[in-house]
Amino acid sequence: MRSQLIAVVISATIPMGILQSSSTQTDYVVSLWLVCFVYFSLVTIQNRISWTYVPALGASLGLAILTKPTAYLYAFPFALWLFFVGIWYLRWKVWQPLGVACGIIFLLNLGQYSRNLKVFDSLFGPTGQDSGSYGLPVLISNILRNLALHLSTPVRSINLITIRIVTAIHQVIGLDPSDPSITSPPGQKFDMHSLVNHEDLAGNPQHLLLILLCIVVFVLFRKRLKTRDQLLWSTYLLCCLVGFLLFCFLVIWSPWRSRLHLPVFILLSPWVGMALSELFKQPIANAITAGFLAISFFWVLCNETRPLVINTKFVEERQVETIFNQSRTDRYFSSRPKLAKPFIATVDHLASQSCNEIGLIITGDTWEYPLWKLGREQSKRSLRFEHLQVENPSSKLASQPPHQDFQACMVLTDKPDYLEQTELQLGDRRYRQTWEQGDIKIYSRS
């Protein structure tokens, strides 16, 4: 029970977890389903591959994959563990529970698999995040740079020390840490952000250091545990670490990767709870647990985009912005406040027109959600938004239901290629510019 309570505190105090818990990010959701999958896998192993939990096991992994494809990477080592134990107990009959579990996984993901085949001619579809190069030096590079994301601090000078260390190691292995073939997006340089309270960028420094400490202590003092427990916890730790290594091997590095590591920290929490409970003196374990609980209030109260008390605006501008003194509309633009004025003005203009079908020619980073949300709130009509001039493989769906009958009477764009044009010719339809606000232009059908 003591190790379980410690594990709960360790898991609940993960900075990235706290910040994501009130956001639209899905890494906490995939972590939930991965925890369920690992739990049912362990119970199934302990029961010598009993059929009791096989449906729940398959459903958990299926929902994890449906939530986010990182589940493939983090679940694979545990699935392999389960498979080998299954062969040990069931021999060739292992295909029976394996087939049921895989069938459930496939059924839960049938929708996205069929869509991917239809659009991309691939069951899994393109990730766009594959590493551009492979090999041991690249793996070492990605491990170092991914770990560095969790050592970021609010102090730039300290971050620069870590950057110099990582760069020096890269010189030894003959790589540039900003090599475009192993760094995303194009033009991105290896760097560490100082915004440690943002859901896109925050690291988990104290948790990373504690995990490393517990690994060292486990290696040195694991014989204090029973032989069976040593094997169980060693295998569990190995599965978590292999999942992280798979991520580093297959996924290209980016400064926003720390949030994708959340499942690893969640899965390691029970292991850390065991290590603190069984291998550390009780006063030390209690002090660490209490310290983590106390420190966590910084991320609870000072979330950069949804602060309960203050965020960096108080430090930089002596301005207090919290969820209590800002409107819901203001919160939509908390990460990009400069977009609020042109977007709100754009929605007001759209609501004042008689057009219901609005075409969008926008970039991949355009803040699209506020258009839909505010459009519904401001307009008395039901506004329909559809993308035009789509350049990715999904463009083939434009001629299929329910898109084929879309006839845009207005077109909204923020693409630089269109901002100098006063008229647009889209097929047999001509549009002329009727409105502009910031980088947003609206064209009406002539």
Side-chain angles (χ1 to χ4, degrees), residues 168-400:
I169 297 175
H170 274 74
Q171 292 175 347
V172 173
I173 62 177
L175 280 180
D176 179 356
S178 300
D179 186 335
S181 67
I182 58 174
T183 305
S184 178
Q188 176 67 48
K189 302 295 183 182
F190 169 63
D191 201 356
M192 295 170 61
H193 291 272
S194 300
L195 203 57
V196 297
N197 59 336
H198 196 288
E199 67 195 55
D200 292 336
L201 301 167
N204 308 310
Q206 67 271 32
H207 286 74
L208 175 61
L209 296 175
L210 179 60
I211 289 168
L212 295 176
L213 174 62
C214 287
I215 290 174
V216 172
V217 172
F218 181 77
V219 171
L220 295 176
F221 302 106
R222 65 184 182 279
K223 291 186 178 179
R224 293 180 183 178
L225 303 173
K226 296 178 181 178
T227 303
R228 189 171 182 273
D229 290 340
Q230 288 183 44
L231 179 61
L232 172 66
W233 288 112
S234 296
T235 308
Y236 185 93
L237 173 63
L238 181 64
C239 286
C240 292
L241 297 181
V242 169
F244 177 70
L245 291 177
L246 282 173
F247 181 95
C248 293
F249 182 74
L250 295 173
V251 181
I252 193 169
W253 183 86
S254 171
W256 302 280
R257 290 290 181 253
S258 59
R259 64 185 179 86
L260 302 183
H261 303 154
L262 180 59
V264 179
F265 286 90
I266 296 290
L267 290 172
L268 279 170
S269 295
W271 187 88
V272 171
M274 176 281 304
L276 287 175
S277 176
E278 301 296 333
L279 303 178
F280 285 71
K281 292 183 179 180
Q282 185 170 338
I284 296 177
N286 291 344
I288 292 174
T289 306
F292 272 54
L293 197 59
I295 294 172
S296 69
F297 279 92
F298 167 74
W299 288 276
V300 173
L301 300 175
C302 303
N303 187 318
E304 180 63 23
T305 56
R306 295 170 302 281
L308 294 177
V309 179
I310 58 172
N311 58 8
T312 55
K313 282 199 171 183
F314 178 77
V315 178
E316 297 170 354
E317 306 171 15
R318 288 295 184 266
Q319 183 177 349
V320 177
E321 284 188 0
T322 73
I323 61 172
F324 304 111
N325 62 14
Q326 285 193 303
S327 69
R328 186 181 183 90
T329 300
D330 292 333
R331 303 259 40 90
Y332 293 146
F333 301 95
S334 57
S335 292
R336 300 171 73 176
K338 291 182 180 180
L339 297 180
K341 182 179 178 180
F343 268 67
I344 293 173
T346 298
V347 170
D348 289 341
H349 176 74
L350 293 175
S352 67
Q353 305 300 304
S354 59
C355 175
N356 293 341
E357 298 193 333
I358 302 157
L360 301 176
I361 304 178
I362 56 180
T363 67
D365 290 329
T366 298
W367 225 239
E368 183 180 348
Y369 174 76
L371 292 176
W372 294 73
K373 179 62 177 175
L374 296 177
R376 291 197 188 115
E377 293 176 354
Q378 299 295 332
S379 177
K380 297 179 181 179
R381 309 178 315 281
S382 177
L383 299 182
R384 178 183 178 185
F385 294 95
E386 291 279 353
H387 288 265
L388 304 176
Q389 303 295 95
V390 177
E391 299 173 353
N392 60 53
S394 67
S395 60
K396 66 179 70 172
L397 301 178
S399 60
Q400 301 177 24

Side-chain angles (χ1 to χ4, degrees), residues 27 42 109 132 140 181 232 261 285 336 349 385 393 412-413 419 432:
D27 301 286
L42 294 176
N109 289 274
I140 295 173
S181 67
L232 172 66
H261 303 154
R336 300 171 73 176
H349 176 74
F385 294 95
L412 182 153
T413 183
L419 295 182
R432 60 180 178 80

Side-chain angles (χ1 to χ4, degrees), residues 141-167 170 176-179 182-185 187-196 200-203 253-258 261:
S141 169
N142 285 342
I143 292 172
L144 290 172
R145 292 184 297 165
N146 278 306
L147 291 178
L149 295 176
H150 296 284
L151 296 176
S152 61
T153 73
V155 184
R156 180 62 178 171
S157 58
I158 297 177
N159 293 342
L160 287 174
I161 295 173
T162 306
I163 292 171
R164 292 190 192 103
I165 293 173
V166 172
T167 302
H170 274 74
D176 179 356
S178 300
D179 186 335
I182 58 174
T183 305
S184 178
Q188 176 67 48
K189 302 295 183 182
F190 169 63
D191 201 356
M192 295 170 61
H193 291 272
S194 300
L195 203 57
V196 297
D200 292 336
L201 301 167
W253 183 86
S254 171
W256 302 280
R257 290 290 181 253
S258 59
H261 303 154

Side-chain angles (χ1 to χ4, degrees), residues 40 43-58 82 90 92-104:
F40 289 123
V43 173
T44 301
I45 289 171
Q46 289 178 337
N47 287 276
R48 301 189 175 189
I49 316 301
S50 166
W51 278 85
T52 306
Y53 298 103
V54 169
L57 184 154
L82 183 65
L90 301 180
W92 63 271
K93 291 184 178 180
V94 71
W95 70 267
Q96 296 174 341
L98 181 65
V100 171
C102 289
I104 294 172

